[in-house]
């Protein structure tokens, strides 16, 4: 919403400048977005007169002009076709910033002739879009007069209107609030009734009072619809509206002045003697959707709940009520007789019509927020007065159909509540003065009875009145009381579980994973894919139809996030999330998991076979568990027991026992990825934080980590090849070998797997390299043989024998 300072002063008697007005609006709760001061913008520009205009010696389309300016006689090169001797125009000196061009003038030659300034067009000064030539001003203007005074430039305030304050969409409503705030005295001119000279030949019928509650109109015959006067054009241009004709400009003026949208029909183009407010054609007996060509030249098909204005016994649509008029009855220069409409259209229906048809007009914007129902008749009277004054004509009697919605109800109010809720010290008389200035009616007594004005339907109870008083008194007057200082806890603020979560975030970030934060919900259909979806975990009031169930796992949300990344060109994603899941059948069965999804789609390269991403994932998982203090060396790797959303041949679990499952990892099932519209392959891991054992507490006085014991002796290696049953997990064999002598064996690792000739069916050959680190002295051959015997014996307990 925009308005000029002069426009505001039509309603408010004040000496305040534009900055003071903007500051007072802000303190009264009106969100000022910008203050545009064209006086400052036009300050460098003044009136000048061309003394002579000669052809440029080096350019056919340029003229060298001798110009009488405020700075004396100047030689200026000009390319405008209308540059001529005697022309009065606007001069810009060297150093001036030209807003329409976005440049600052400098002294430089133009085709060999130095131009000492510039002669300006309307578009270069941002006065209009016209740029065919320089400004051609009246010849009696004094040379040197400031351009701001010539064009009547006024400061413009632009502010945001909140949806609950449609009265601020009129300058009169803004002036009312500023007067209540003490910025001046309200002087909005009263609207006088215009007597009708003859009965209206047109009647009004309302078929859908739920869409149009009241409709008023009158015929004015013998009007002259030419250009509107200059003051009206300047006022509309200042707020960004394009003047069209006197009749249209008057309706725009009333709309912005009193927040009362109107519409004017060319009466000669109306068919029949009746105007009807009804629903869209699809709701009528004919059944076929109808179409309307609106004033914007587009064709619309209003639905059954759109308010259609029609003539010809209600059959021909001529407008969309509260949104836009029709092209068939629009006014033009030949218009002589007009029918003026002033109605009240339902806000919700108007807003929905605008959304359905994709129309955002000034009228739709205002009606959707709720126009004052009591302004129907006064708005029509004001429009009639302006039309008679600017266009002439003779008015008919007013025709009114329907009944305006009931006024807002009265309610009791205790003025002491202002102090209780805000701690402001405001007297009862001052409270009454503020509310009356804002348009409220008050019956004072032991209990106040307050009636809101018709334009304040947002006020529904005492708390709203307290807000009004606080707003006008000023929020800066609210006392500030600091909260009592809370003593700090004597120990750390993080619990062991919270500390683990922070450690996990840092560890995964170091490993190159990116944290994602997703919903704790998913769709019930997806939840069932991951073992969830119990009826008791379905939400009664979901925020979206596809988020109607508590998630049994964070995997589906991360899979979908990785798929969205891939759809946007980032296929190689590594995402993790730490958060709650609901794997039971009750909302109370909540656990916390650390979940990661890896979508390995690295670019192809010729540098050799890359590391299997499954082993890279396992390495990251084990590194994370190590950071969290899990007993990694004691974890058992079990395959074939993961749930159905894991790939049966490329997934496993880490556990401390049959029931103590610490983590699951591996490839995700292709069928699950397809159901989630995600391209595979994808790998994942899931750690149940609540089942992860806490690290053993250090004994009092002991160090958290012992000093490194580095031996001065060289390590040696021995290789062992074992024939083992096919179902023996390699990790179990490695663990057994390494445990044969924990003092001497520093590491054991698998380096070969073989199946084939020389190995019986159902068996496999596992080759293990053992690193032996002497501690005190170099090992003798006998000691090495004794250690080898221990290794073979440890493997034999698992059914693995030394391969011959």
């Amino acid at each position: 919403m925009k308005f000029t300072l002069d426009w505001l002063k039509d309603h408010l008697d004040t000496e305040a400048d534009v900055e003071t007005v903007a500051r007072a609006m802000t303190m009264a709760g009106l969100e000022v977005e910008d203050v545009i001061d064209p006086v400052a913008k036009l300050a460098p520009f003044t009136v000048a007169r061309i003394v002579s205009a000669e052809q440029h010696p080096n350019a056919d389309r340029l003229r060298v002009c001798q110009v009488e300016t405020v700075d004396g006689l100047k030689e200026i090169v000009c390319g405008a076709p209308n540059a001529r001797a005697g022309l009065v125009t606007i001069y810009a000196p060297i150093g001036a910033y030209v807003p329409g061009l976005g440049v600052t003038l400098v002294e430089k030659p133009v085709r060999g002739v130095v131009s000492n300034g510039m002669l300006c067009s309307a578009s270069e000064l941002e006065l209009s879009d016209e740029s065919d030539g320089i400004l051609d001003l009246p010849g009696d203007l004094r040379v040197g007069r400031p351009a701001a005074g010539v064009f009547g430039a006024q400061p413009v305030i632009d502010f945001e209107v909140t949806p609950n304050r449609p009265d601020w969409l009129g300058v009169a409503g803004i002036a009312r609030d500023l007067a209540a705030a003490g910025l001046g005295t309200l002087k909005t001119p009263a609207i006088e009734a215009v007597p009708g000279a003859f009965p209206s030949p047109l009647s009004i019928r309302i078929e859908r009072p739920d869409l149009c509650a009241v409709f008023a109109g009158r015929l004015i015959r013998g009007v002259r619809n030419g250009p509107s006067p200059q003051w009206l054009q300047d006022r509309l241009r200042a707020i960004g509206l394009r003047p069209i004709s006197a009749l249209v400009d008057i309706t725009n003026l009333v709309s912005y002045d009193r927040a009362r949208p109107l519409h004017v029909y060319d009466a000669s183009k109306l068919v029949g003697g009746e105007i009807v407010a009804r629903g869209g054609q699809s709701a009528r007996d004919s059944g076929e959707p109808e179409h309307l060509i609106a004033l914007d030249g587009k064709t619309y098909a209003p639905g059954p709940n759109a308010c259609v204005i029609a003539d010809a016994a209600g059959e021909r649509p001529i407008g969309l009520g509260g949104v836009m008029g029709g092209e068939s009855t629009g006014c033009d220069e030949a218009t002589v007789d007009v029918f003026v409409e002033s109605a009240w259209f339902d806000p919700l229906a108007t807003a929905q019509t605008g959304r359905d048809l994709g129309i955002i007009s000034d009228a739709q914007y205002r009606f959707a927020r709720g126009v004052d129902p009591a302004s129907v008749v006064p708005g029509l009277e004001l429009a009639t007065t302006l039309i008679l004054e600017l266009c002439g004509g003779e008015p008919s009697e007013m025709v009114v159909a329907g009944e305006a919605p009931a006024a807002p109800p009265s309610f009791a109010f205790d003025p002491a509540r202002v102090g209780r809720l805000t701690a402001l010290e405001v007297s009862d008389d001052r409270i009454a003065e503020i509310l009356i200035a804002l348009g409220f009616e008050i019956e004072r007594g032991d209990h106040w009875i307050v009636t809101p004005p018709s334009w304040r339907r947002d006020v529904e109870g005492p708390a709203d009145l307290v807000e009004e008083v606080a707003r006008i008194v000023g929020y800066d007057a609210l006392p500030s009381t600091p909260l009592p200082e809370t003593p700090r806890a004597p120990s750390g603020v993080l619990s062991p579980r919270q500390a683990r979560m922070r450690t996990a975030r840092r560890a995964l970030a170091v490993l190159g994973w990116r944290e994602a934060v997703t919903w704790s919900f998913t769709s019930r259909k997806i939840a069932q894919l991951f073992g969830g979806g119990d009826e008791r975990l379905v939400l009664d009031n979901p925020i979206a139809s596809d988020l109607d169930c508590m998630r049994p796992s964070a995997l589906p949300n991360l899979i979908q996030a990785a798929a969205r990344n891939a759809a946007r060109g980032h296929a190689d994603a590594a995402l993790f999330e730490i958060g709650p899941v609901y794997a039971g059948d009750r909302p109370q069965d909540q656990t916390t998991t650390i979940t990661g999804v890896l979508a390995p789609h690295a670019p192809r390269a010729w540098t050799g076979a890359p590391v299997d991403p499954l082993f890279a994932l396992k390495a990251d998982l084990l590194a994370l568990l190590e950071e969290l203090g899990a007993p990694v060396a004691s974890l058992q790797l079990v395959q074939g027991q993961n749930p159905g959303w894991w790939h049966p041949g490329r997934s496993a679990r880490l556990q401390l026992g049959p029931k103590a499952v610490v983590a699951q990892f591996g490839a995700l099932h292709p069928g699950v990825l397809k159901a989630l519209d995600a391209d595979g392959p994808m790998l994942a891991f899931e750690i149940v934080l609540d089942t992860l054992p806490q690290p053993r507490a250090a004994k009092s006085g002991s160090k958290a980590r012992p000093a490194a014991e580095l031996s001065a002796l060289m390590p040696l290696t021995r290789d062992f090849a074992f024939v083992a049953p096919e179902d023996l997990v390699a990790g179990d064999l490695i663990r057994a070998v390494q445990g044969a002598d924990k003092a001497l064996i520093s590491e054991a690792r698998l380096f070969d797997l073989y199946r084939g000739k020389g190995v019986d069916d159902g068996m496999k050959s596992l080759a293990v390299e053992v690193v032996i680190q002497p501690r005190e002295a170099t090992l003798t051959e006998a000691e090495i043989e004794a250690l080898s015997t221990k290794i073979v014996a440890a493997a034999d307990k698992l059914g693995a024998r030394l391969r011959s």
Side-chain angles (χ1 to χ4, degrees):
M1 172 70 184
K2 294 180 181 179
F3 64 91
T4 63
L5 185 60
D6 268 6
W7 196 341
L8 176 68
K9 291 183 177 181
D10 287 349
H11 298 272
L12 186 68
D13 188 3
T14 181
E15 297 299 324
D17 59 15
V18 65
E19 296 296 336
T20 304
V21 170
R23 186 165 50 253
M25 289 176 64
T26 300
M27 298 310 299
L30 290 87
E31 185 181 344
V32 176
E33 292 192 335
D34 195 12
V35 176
I36 306 161
D37 190 355
V39 176
K41 183 173 67 175
L42 294 176
F45 303 92
T46 54
V47 173
R49 186 188 309 274
I50 299 177
V51 177
S52 64
E54 304 295 335
Q55 183 68 43
H56 192 291
N58 302 318
D60 294 338
R61 296 186 178 182
L62 298 178
R63 288 182 173 83
V64 179
C65 302
Q66 303 300 320
V67 184
E68 182 184 358
T69 74
V70 68
D71 300 323
L73 195 66
K74 295 286 183 179
E75 186 172 72
I76 297 174
V77 178
C78 180
N82 63 333
R84 64 184 185 277
L87 178 71
V88 176
T89 187
I90 295 296
Y91 155 72
I94 298 298
Y97 176 78
V98 183
L101 299 178
V103 299
T104 300
L105 297 181
V106 296
E107 185 176 334
K108 64 178 183 179
V110 180
R111 293 290 184 92
V113 177
V114 175
S115 182
N116 299 285
M118 178 179 178
L119 303 179
C120 303
S121 68
S123 65
E124 289 161 347
L125 298 180
E126 292 187 340
L127 299 174
S128 74
D129 295 333
E130 183 180 345
S131 59
D132 291 340
I134 58 178
L135 286 162
D136 190 346
L137 302 178
D140 57 353
L141 288 177
R142 174 179 56 85
V143 172
R145 181 177 175 181
V150 173
F151 303 111
Q154 285 292 321
V156 176
I157 295 177
D158 184 6
F159 73 101
E160 184 68 28
V161 179
T162 56
N164 65 321
R165 292 302 304 270
D167 56 306
W168 284 346
L169 290 169
V171 180
I174 302 165
R176 184 189 304 110
D177 276 29
L178 292 177
L183 194 67
T185 304
L186 189 67
K187 63 171 187 178
T188 298
I191 299 175
E192 301 292 338
V194 179
F198 58 93
S200 173
L202 292 169
S203 61
I204 300 170
R205 174 163 54 92
I206 298 177
E207 288 187 358
R208 291 287 299 274
D210 59 320
L211 302 178
C212 176
V214 59
F215 192 124
R218 76 184 335 157
L219 182 76
I220 303 177
R221 61 191 182 192
V223 301
R224 299 179 302 278
N225 186 27
S228 56
Q230 192 64 41
W231 68 266
L232 179 51
Q233 293 189 37
D234 291 343
R235 180 159 289 186
L236 296 180
R237 282 197 183 98
I239 62 173
L241 296 180
R242 180 174 60 89
I244 298 175
S245 67
L247 291 172
V248 177
D249 293 351
I250 287 170
T251 62
N252 286 332
L253 177 69
V254 176
S255 181
Y256 278 80
D257 190 72
R258 303 298 176 97
R260 163 36 63 185
L262 303 164
H263 187 64
V264 181
Y265 302 93
D266 188 328
S268 66
K269 299 175 183 178
L270 295 173
V271 179
E274 184 180 47
I275 292 179
V276 180
R278 58 170 174 81
Q281 183 70 31
S282 59
R284 295 168 65 83
D285 294 338
S286 61
E288 289 296 326
E290 63 188 345
H291 294 85
L292 168 72
I293 302 177
L295 287 172
D296 61 1
K298 298 179 181 179
T299 302
Y300 300 100
N305 291 319
C307 185
V308 173
I309 308 302
D311 63 358
E315 292 300 324
R316 186 182 72 144
I318 58 173
L320 294 168
V323 180
M324 188 176 291
E327 187 180 78
S328 62
T329 55
C331 296
D332 52 33
E333 293 183 356
T335 298
V336 176
D337 300 335
V338 296
F339 187 80
V340 186
E341 165 198 298
S342 180
W344 188 88
F345 300 100
D346 179 74
L348 293 179
T350 307
Q352 189 61 49
T353 299
R355 283 193 291 268
D356 292 343
L357 301 179
I359 304 176
I360 300 177
S361 63
D362 274 349
Q364 189 266 349
Y365 182 82
R366 285 166 166 73
F367 278 115
R369 281 156 178 75
V371 173
D372 180 10
S375 68
V376 170
V377 171
L380 183 56
E381 297 284 16
L382 178 59
T384 302
T385 300
L386 290 170
I387 291 173
L388 296 180
E389 178 184 339
L390 302 181
C391 303
E394 184 180 28
S396 74
E397 296 173 354
M398 188 180 299
V399 182
V400 181
E403 185 175 349
S410 304
F411 53 84
F413 175 64
D414 180 6
R417 192 165 185 176
V418 173
R420 291 198 301 270
L421 292 184
T422 66
L424 288 170
E425 295 181 2
V426 188
S427 67
D428 290 1
D429 290 341
R430 176 58 178 152
I431 292 173
E433 179 186 348
I434 291 173
L435 295 179
I436 291 171
L438 292 174
F440 294 87
E441 296 179 4
I442 300 177
E443 294 180 21
R444 298 181 63 172
D446 294 338
H447 299 284
W448 288 17
I449 302 299
V450 179
T451 304
S454 59
W455 59 83
R456 290 303 304 274
R457 295 180 178 271
D458 60 305
V459 177
E460 299 177 346
D464 296 323
L465 296 182
V466 173
E467 182 182 354
E468 290 299 299
V469 173
R471 180 173 66 87
I472 297 302
V473 171
Y475 292 127
D476 57 337
L478 293 171
S480 58
T481 304
L483 294 172
E485 193 170 325
T486 304
R488 294 188 177 183
S491 60
V493 296
L494 292 180
S495 67
R497 178 173 170 275
Q498 291 171 325
R500 274 189 158 183
M501 293 168 66
R502 183 167 69 172
T503 300
R505 285 190 174 93
R506 292 179 175 178
L508 287 169
V510 169
L511 292 170
W513 295 71
R514 295 181 181 273
E515 185 173 10
V517 180
T518 68
W519 295 105
S520 294
F521 321 114
T522 185
S523 71
R524 189 178 184 187
K525 182 178 178 182
I526 292 176
Q528 289 171 346
L529 289 174
F530 289 82
D534 188 273
E535 180 67 33
R536 284 168 288 187
L537 294 177
V538 176
L539 304 179
D540 291 335
N541 186 24
I543 59 175
S545 60
D546 58 347
L547 296 172
D548 61 349
C549 185
M550 308 300 289
R551 65 181 184 184
S553 168
L555 285 172
N557 291 351
L558 289 178
I559 292 169
Q560 291 174 318
R564 287 192 295 271
N565 275 271
R568 289 161 176 77
H570 303 284
D572 192 21
L575 306 176
F576 77 93
E577 181 175 8
I578 303 176
V581 298
Y582 307 85
D585 55 7
R586 302 177 305 164
Q588 297 89 333
D589 298 335
Q590 175 182 322
T591 58
T592 301
T593 62
I594 306 173
T595 308
V597 167
L598 177 67
H601 295 284
R604 291 179 295 178
W606 57 269
T607 53
V611 176
D612 189 334
L614 180 56
F615 290 106
L617 176 82
K618 180 183 177 184
D620 286 353
L621 174 59
L622 293 175
L624 173 59
L625 291 172
E626 189 78 41
E627 284 291 328
L628 296 176
V632 175
S634 302
L635 293 176
Q636 300 173 348
L637 188 142
V638 179
Q639 291 181 275
Q641 296 186 21
N642 284 14
W645 53 88
W646 296 97
H647 193 296
R650 287 177 57 81
S651 63
R653 60 171 53 175
L654 297 174
Q655 60 188 40
L656 290 170
K659 295 183 179 180
V661 178
V662 173
Q664 300 181 96
F665 71 97
L668 293 165
H669 198 289
V672 171
L673 295 179
K674 183 177 181 181
L676 295 177
D677 197 22
D679 292 333
M682 284 192 187
L683 311 174
F685 68 82
E686 193 169 29
I687 301 173
V688 182
L689 192 60
D690 301 327
T691 63
L692 197 63
Q694 292 290 340
R696 294 180 181 178
K699 295 181 180 180
S700 177
S702 66
K703 297 180 180 179
R705 180 178 295 177
E709 296 181 5
L710 301 178
S711 175
L713 302 174
M714 289 290 293
L716 64 149
T717 62
R718 288 292 183 269
D719 294 344
F720 297 86
F722 297 101
V723 177
E726 187 67 48
D727 58 355
L728 178 62
V729 178
D732 293 343
L733 178 62
I734 296 295
R735 196 159 30 250
V737 168
Q738 195 160 355
D741 191 325
K742 295 182 179 180
L744 291 176
I745 299 176
S746 63
E747 186 179 1
R749 49 180 172 259
L750 182 74
F751 69 87
D752 185 46
L753 169 64
Y754 173 73
R755 297 181 184 91
K757 186 176 180 181
V759 177
D760 296 339
D761 292 341
M763 305 294 283
K764 59 186 176 183
S765 174
L766 299 173
V768 179
E769 181 185 49
V770 179
V771 180
I772 303 170
Q773 177 63 62
R775 297 296 177 182
E776 298 177 356
T778 303
L779 297 179
T780 66
E781 194 67 31
E783 289 172 330
I784 296 174
E785 286 299 325
L787 179 59
S788 300
T789 302
K790 288 182 181 181
I791 293 172
V792 174
D796 188 60
K797 293 179 181 180
L798 298 179
R801 56 181 173 80
L802 196 63
R803 183 178 173 187
S804 59

